Amino acid sequence: MSMPEPRIGAVILAAGRGTRFGPEPKLLAMLHGEPLIRHVARAALASSARPVVVVLGAHSDAVGAALAGLDLRLVDNPDSAVGLSTSLRAGLAAMPDAIDAVVVLLGDMPRITAAHLDGLIAVYRAAEPRPSAVVPVTGGRRGNPVLLDLDKLKEVLENLSGDTGAGPLLAGRGDVIEVEMDDAVAFDVDTPAALAGG
């Protein structure tokens, strides 16, 4: 008997302060006529992942307003200043129980497309046994977004703390599949100069 197709959602982490970028909210910086965060959200919505949850924190009202009209589930993380782990946990808590895995995106990676997400999802769905995660690799280094199996990683995700994302919890695991992708998976916007190159 074939296993049912796993159900996969997406979480966009958009709660950070982006202090290296300057005084203005980084995720609202304009790129090709649209706020940075909207590029990422539209990429997620163009993929097969559903639902798409966006975790807001710093500048939540303004970032939320920049996402108006998109089919997203917005979640506020009042503890966002504590670190990335709190946002990841808030996003996962907003997922329906039926979701088997989640693709985690960073809000400042505008070169990510639906093809990157669907590529990770296709590898996960085809794998037997299922991996704990599927991560993109470029130039020998792991990048983002990452796909996390919520059952296999349940315990470590619940115990995540501080400014820690998925990377460290996957280090040393033998059940992670790496997928070679282009350098979009390593490009994020931390400074206005990086945005100009976006």
Side-chain angles (χ1 to χ4, degrees), residues 13 32 36 39 86 94 106 117 137 143 158 160 163 172 178 181 186:
L13 302 179
H32 309 310
L36 193 56
H39 286 271
T86 63
L106 304 182
L117 277 68
V137 177
E158 285 173 352
L160 209 55
D163 200 29
E178 295 184 339
M181 289 191 170

Side-chain angles (χ1 to χ4, degrees), residues 5-6 14 22 32 38 47 54 71 79 91 110 124 128 137 164 188 194:
E5 191 87 322
H32 309 310
R38 202 170 173 95
S47 79
V54 183
D71 183 20
D79 300 320
Y124 175 76
E128 192 58 53
V137 177
T164 305
D188 63 354

Side-chain angles (χ1 to χ4, degrees), residues 75-170:
V75 177
D76 200 47
N77 174 18
D79 300 320
S80 60
V82 176
L84 194 63
S85 65
T86 63
S87 291
L88 185 53
R89 285 210 310 272
L92 296 177
M95 281 288 153
D97 290 341
I99 294 295
D100 298 298
V102 166
V103 183
V104 180
L105 300 91
L106 304 182
D108 62 354
M109 297 186 70
R111 292 184 185 169
I112 295 301
T113 66
H116 292 100
L117 277 68
D118 285 337
L120 298 173
I121 290 169
V123 169
Y124 175 76
R125 285 192 163 141
E128 192 58 53
R130 295 248 161 81
S132 66
V134 183
V135 301
V137 177
T138 187
R141 294 182 59 186
R142 289 181 174 181
N144 286 289
V146 298
L147 184 150
L148 306 176
D149 181 291
L150 297 183
D151 184 49
K152 287 191 164 65
L153 295 174
K154 186 177 191 303
E155 195 174 317
V156 286
L157 288 169
E158 285 173 352
N159 293 319
L160 209 55
S161 63
D163 200 29
T164 305
L169 68 87
L170 300 178

